[in-house]
Amino acid sequence: MEPTPELSPHHAYPDHWEADVVLRDGGTARIRPITTEDAERLVSFYEQVSDESKYYRFFAPYPRLSDRDVHRFTHHDYVDRVGLAVTIGGEFIGTVRFDRINEQGRPASAPADEAEVAFLVQDAHQGRGVASALLEHIAAVARERGIRRFAAEVLPANNKMIKVFRDAGYTQQRSFEDGSVHLTLDLEPTEKSLAVQRGREQRAEARSVQRLLAPGSVAVIGTGRTPGGVGRTVLRNLLAAGFTGRTYAVNRAFDEGLATLDGVPAHRSLGEIDEQVDLAVIAVPAHRVPEAVADCGEHGVQGLVVLSAGYAERGSAGRELQRELVRQARSYGMRIIGPNAFGIINTAESVRLNASLAPESPARGRIGLFTQSGAIGIALLSGLHRRGAGLSSFISAGNRADVSGNDFLQYSFEDQDTDVALLYLESLGNPRKFTRLARRTAAVKPVVVVKGARHSGTNPPGHAVPVSRIPDATVSALMRQAGVIRVDTVTEMVDAGLLLAGQPLPAGPRVAILGNSESLGLLTYDACLAEGLRPRPPRDLTTAASPQDFRDALAEALADGTCDAVIVTAIPWVGENGEAETGDGEVLAAALRGAAAGGPAKPVAVVHVEIGGLAEALAAASSTAAPRTRPTTLAGRPAAAPGAPTGAAPATATAPTGPGTEAPPETAGAAGTTEPAATAEPEAAEPPARPGRIPAYPAAERAVRAMAEAVKYAQWRRQAATPGKVPEFLDETTDEPGAAALIDTLLGPAPDPRGRPLTHDEARELLSRYGIPVRPTLPAPDPETAVAAAARLGYPVALKTTAPHLRHRADLGGVRLDLADEDALRRAYAEVTELLGKPAELLPVVQSMAPRGVDTVVRASIDAAAGAVLSFGLAGAPSELLGDTAHRLVPATDRDAAELIRSIKAAPVLFGWRGSAPVDTPALEELLLRLSRLVDDHPEVVSVALEPVVVAPQGLTVLGATVRLAPPPPRGDLGPRRLPNY
C-alpha cells in the first residue's frame, strides 16, 4: 500500500509496520496500516461482523457504518491516530485503532502519552488469535510514537476481549465505571508479556508445520498423464507409503473424461474437488506456479510444498519470483516449503505421508530431520536407511523461502514422536531466535546441527540474511552454549543422532571398553582420551570369545558403578585356515541387546569390523532376545575345543593410565581437563531412558566421537536443569541511568550511523559507571612530559607505545616495564624512540605498574547475525595464533562467566599451572559479568576491548580499554512476532 497524496511527508505511510504473522491455528495473515484506499474493504468487513460483536464494539446497536465513520476509520496521521488491519486474501478479518488522548480523555497530540484502543474481529475468525496478534503490533506502534499506556472500555459481557487484555502480560489496572470495565495497560514490555508472546509464537509456528506434515488430504498439482516426471513420482510415493488421507491428482491438461489416475480421483483444477484440500504439492513449471497458488488460495488449501525450480537459484530475476511467490501464498494464509524443495515425510502410523521424491519412505523412528539441501537430504535418508534407523519426520526445504529451521525446532519441541532433531543448515536467518529456540528444545531433546557454508560466508539463494563477521569457531561455541550439538559433517550428524535416539544419556565421561581385539580396544582407548573422555583400560575377551562372553562382560560393565558408558569392539572370528569368517552377526547382536536390556540404563555403542548382519540386527526394534542353548563363537561355530582359551577369564589389555582415569563424573570437564569445575553439577533432571537400539560404527573414532558428544550434551542438560543467574549488581558501583545519559551525550543528537570510538578518558568514565576501573595513562610526547607524568602517578611505571601498529605488541619492544626512577624512564624513552621511531609516530604514554599476574583479554561486541557476544582469552600472540578464545552470548549468567574462563585451552595457567600461584578467578568472573551487563543494558555500546587485564592472586587491573559507540542495531527478536520477509 502506498500513501495517498493528502498525507504529508511527515506522516508518510509506515511500511515497516507491515508484517506477516502466524495465527493460533497455524494459518498466516498480514497486518498492515489502514489507508484511505480501504474504504470498501472496511465496509465489506463490517457487514460480515455479527450484531453482537458490533454491540460490544460500539456499546449500542450499530448495524452499519456511516460515511463519516468510514472516513474517520480510514484516515490516519500515523502518529496520534493509527489503525491496523489483519488481512487474508486481501480482505479484512480484524482491525484495531488507537487515538491519542489527554488526561481528560479528549483527543490530543504529543507529549500526551496515553491512547484509547479498540478492536473488532470478524466472528468467523474469532478464536484464531487475531486480537492477540493485533495487540502486540499496535502496542509496538504506540511505543514507537511515544505512547506509554492504552486505555480501553469493555462491556462486562465481552469476556473474549477482556481475556485478550488480561492474558497479554502487561502491567494493568482495572475498574468498573458507568456499566463498563475500564482497563489501563502499561505498554512497557515485561518478562511476563515477553514470555506470553513467545509462547504464542511457539504454539502457532509449531501448528503451522504440523498442518503441513499431517494433512487430511493432499492434491498433487502437475501430475503427469504418463509415468515419470516429478508430479507423477510424488503421487506414486504417496500411494506407496499408504497415506491415510485422501489423495487427488490435478492437471489442467487432463482430458475431461479422465476420472482417475493411478487409482485416485483426477481433476483439472482444485475447484472440481468437492472436499477440502489441506496440502498441495506443486510440480509445475515456475511460470505456472502463480496460477496454481491462486487456485489453492481461493479454495482454502492450508499449505504448499513447491517442488518447482527456476527461482532464486537462477539469479536476480528468480529471486524476485521467489519473493512474489511467498507474498502471494501468505496473502491467502498459506505457508510454503520450498521452492525447489525435495519434499516432506511423516511416518506416523496415523498419517504415513511421503510427499517427496524419495523412492522409499523411511521406516518409522524417533529422529526428525530438516535440511536446506535436497542433495544432502537424499544422502541423509540413504545413510539412515542403510544403518536401520527410522525417522519421525523429514523436511527438505530447498530454497527455504518460508518454512525454516526455526519453524522445525518449534515443531520438534512439541512433537511427541521425535526424540532427536537433526538439522542441516546453510544459514541462520534469525540467529538470536534460533539460539533461543534451540536452548529450549535442547533442554528436553537433543538438537544436532551441521552448518554448511561455514567459511564462504554465502547465504542460500534469495535470502537477505545478515552476514556474520565472527569466526565459525565462535558460532560453534555459541551453539554449544545453547545446548546444540554442533558437528562438522553429515556423517557425524547421523552417528550422533543414532546414539542419542537409541540410548540413554551418560551420567558422566567414564567409559568401559571391552571386545575380542586388543588392538581395536587400544585404538578406542586412544580415541576416548583424544575426545576428553575417561576410558578404563580395555578389557580383552580374546578372539575365542563367544556371544555369551560378550553378554556377560557387557552386563558386568553396565553394573559397574564406576562406568558411565560402554563401547564394545568386535572383529570376525578367525578360523583354523587363517581366513576370517563373518559369521552370524544376529547372534552377537542378540547377546548385546539382552545384556543392555537387563542392566542399568547406560549408553552402549558397538565398533565392529566386517561382521555381517551385526549393524542391522543391533538396529532392530526388539531390545531382548532369547539366548542360545549352546555357546557359540562370533562366527556362529561351536565354542573352542578343550584346552583352548574360552574367555572365561578374560585378559586385560595393557594400556597407559591416562590422567583422571578413575575420576568420578562430576569432576571431569567437558574437554577432559582436571581443572576445577565451574560449578557443581546438579543431579539429572529426569531418570535415564531404557536402552533401545544399539548403534554400530565401522570405526572406533566415529563411535567415540558420538559418545563424547552425548557426554557433553548430558552435562549441559544437567546444568540447564538449574540455570545460572544474571547478577543485578545493584550497588553503588553500577550507575545505569548515568551511563545512559553519558552515552546520549557522547553520541549527540544526530549520531553518525558508523559510530565513533571513545577517547581513553571517555572510555574510563563510561566503564566506571559499571564498576570497571581502568588504570589511568598519561601522554608522554617528550621525555620531560614523561618524567612529569611518572612523578604524578608514582614509581614504578611502565612506558608504552599506543600507535595502532604497536598496540599490545610487547614483542616489538614498544613496552618497557618496572621503570623504578627517572633515570630508568629517560633511558627507556631514548631506547624506544631510537628503535621504533619519533614520539609523534609512537604516541607513548606512561602508566603506573600493576601487581604481577596473568595477562588476559576481555571483549564484548555486537555481531549483525549472532547478537552481543562476550569473549575471553589470554593476552599474547600464541593465543591469537591458536585461536584460543572462548565466547558466550550476552547476557551472560554467573555459570557462563565461570565456564568462559575455564573453557580455553590455556585455562590451567589461571589455576596454578606448574606450581605458580592461582589467580583471582572470582574477580575475573565479576568483570565478565559487569561488562556483559553494560553491553546488554546499552545496545549503543557496539564493542569493548579490555586489554590487557592483569589478574593477580588478589584482584585484577584493567590496563587498557577501547570502546566504540553507535546507534543501536535493530533487534528483530524483541519486537512483535512476525515472519521474515525476503
Side-chain angles (χ1 to χ4, degrees), residues 27-103:
T28 65
R30 185 158 187 81
I31 295 178
R32 64 167 178 83
I34 298 174
T35 74
T36 56
E37 299 174 1
D38 289 320
E40 291 185 8
R41 294 185 184 89
L42 181 65
V43 171
S44 175
F45 158 72
Y46 194 76
E47 289 174 350
Q48 298 177 64
V49 175
S50 70
D51 291 339
E52 181 183 46
S53 294
K54 294 173 182 175
Y55 185 88
Y56 285 152
R57 169 64 176 87
F58 292 103
F59 291 26
Y62 214 87
R64 66 185 57 84
L65 296 176
S66 67
D67 291 343
R68 181 178 179 182
D69 291 330
V70 173
H71 183 276
R72 177 181 172 221
F73 293 148
T74 56
H75 287 69
H76 306 95
D77 62 9
Y78 303 124
V79 177
D80 300 324
R81 302 182 311 281
V82 173
L84 300 180
V86 181
T87 68
I88 295 179
E91 299 301 320
F92 286 7
I93 66 167
T95 63
V96 65
R97 172 187 173 88
F98 76 65
D99 292 87
R100 194 188 301 260
I101 58 176
N102 58 22
E103 295 180 356

Side-chain angles (χ1 to χ4, degrees), residues 849-864:
M849 287 295 299
R852 293 288 186 178
V854 177
D855 288 1
T856 65
V857 181
V858 175
R859 293 190 177 95
S861 60
I862 305 295
D863 182 77

Side-chain angles (χ1 to χ4, degrees), residues 677-836:
T679 56
E681 288 184 4
E683 294 296 322
E686 57 190 36
R690 298 298 302 168
R693 306 178 184 209
I694 300 176
Y697 303 88
E701 295 78 10
R702 288 173 58 179
V704 170
R705 191 173 297 116
M707 189 67 75
E709 295 294 354
V711 168
K712 288 182 279 190
Y713 170 68
Q715 182 182 27
W716 182 90
R717 277 276 292 269
R718 290 190 293 271
Q719 293 176 345
T722 54
K725 300 178 181 179
V726 180
E728 292 295 330
F729 292 122
L730 297 178
D731 55 34
E732 65 278 2
T733 61
T734 299
D735 180 11
E736 181 179 345
L742 178 60
I743 290 171
D744 288 343
T745 300
L746 293 172
L747 284 176
D752 186 339
R754 297 170 298 178
R756 55 155 294 198
L758 300 190
T759 66
H760 175 73
D761 289 340
E762 290 171 342
R764 284 188 65 219
E765 184 179 359
L766 176 60
L767 293 168
S768 69
R769 303 296 174 98
Y770 274 75
I772 303 175
V774 180
R775 184 152 294 206
T777 61
L778 297 178
D782 55 65
E784 299 305 322
T785 307
V787 170
R792 179 179 172 185
L793 295 172
Y795 289 98
V797 296
L799 178 67
K800 304 179 182 181
T801 56
T802 61
H805 66 288
L806 296 172
R807 188 184 295 272
H808 309 306
R809 292 298 308 275
D811 56 311
L812 297 180
V815 178
R816 301 301 170 93
L817 305 176
D818 286 321
L819 305 177
D821 52 35
E822 180 179 336
D823 291 341
L825 176 58
R826 289 183 181 276
R827 283 196 304 272
Y829 199 100
E831 291 170 359
V832 168
T833 53
E834 182 179 355
L835 176 66
L836 300 175

Side-chain angles (χ1 to χ4, degrees), residues 625-676:
R628 295 265 183 129
T629 57
R630 180 183 182 190
T632 57
T633 64
L634 263 177
R637 299 170 59 89
T646 63
T652 301
T654 302
T657 55
T661 300
E662 300 299 326
E666 61 269 15
T667 63
T673 67
T674 56
E675 298 306 327

Side-chain angles (χ1 to χ4, degrees), residues 367-449:
I367 296 175
L369 176 60
F370 177 91
T371 171
Q372 289 180 212
S373 163
I376 296 297
I378 295 170
L380 286 168
L381 288 175
S382 176
L384 289 166
H385 177 73
R386 286 196 309 270
R387 299 177 69 175
L391 292 177
S392 58
S393 58
F394 167 76
I395 294 178
S396 177
N399 291 3
R400 202 207 69 180
D402 182 21
V403 172
S404 68
N406 284 349
D407 296 299
F408 185 73
L409 282 177
Q410 301 277 39
Y411 170 77
S412 299
F413 176 76
E414 285 198 345
D415 184 33
Q416 297 300 313
D417 291 332
T418 298
D419 289 339
V420 180
L422 308 183
L423 296 92
Y424 170 78
L425 304 174
E426 293 175 350
S427 73
L428 299 177
N430 189 335
R432 291 184 178 97
K433 182 176 179 179
F434 174 83
T435 302
R436 170 168 55 84
L437 301 185
R439 185 192 298 271
R440 185 194 57 201
T441 304
V444 295
K445 60 186 69 174
V447 176
V448 187
V449 172

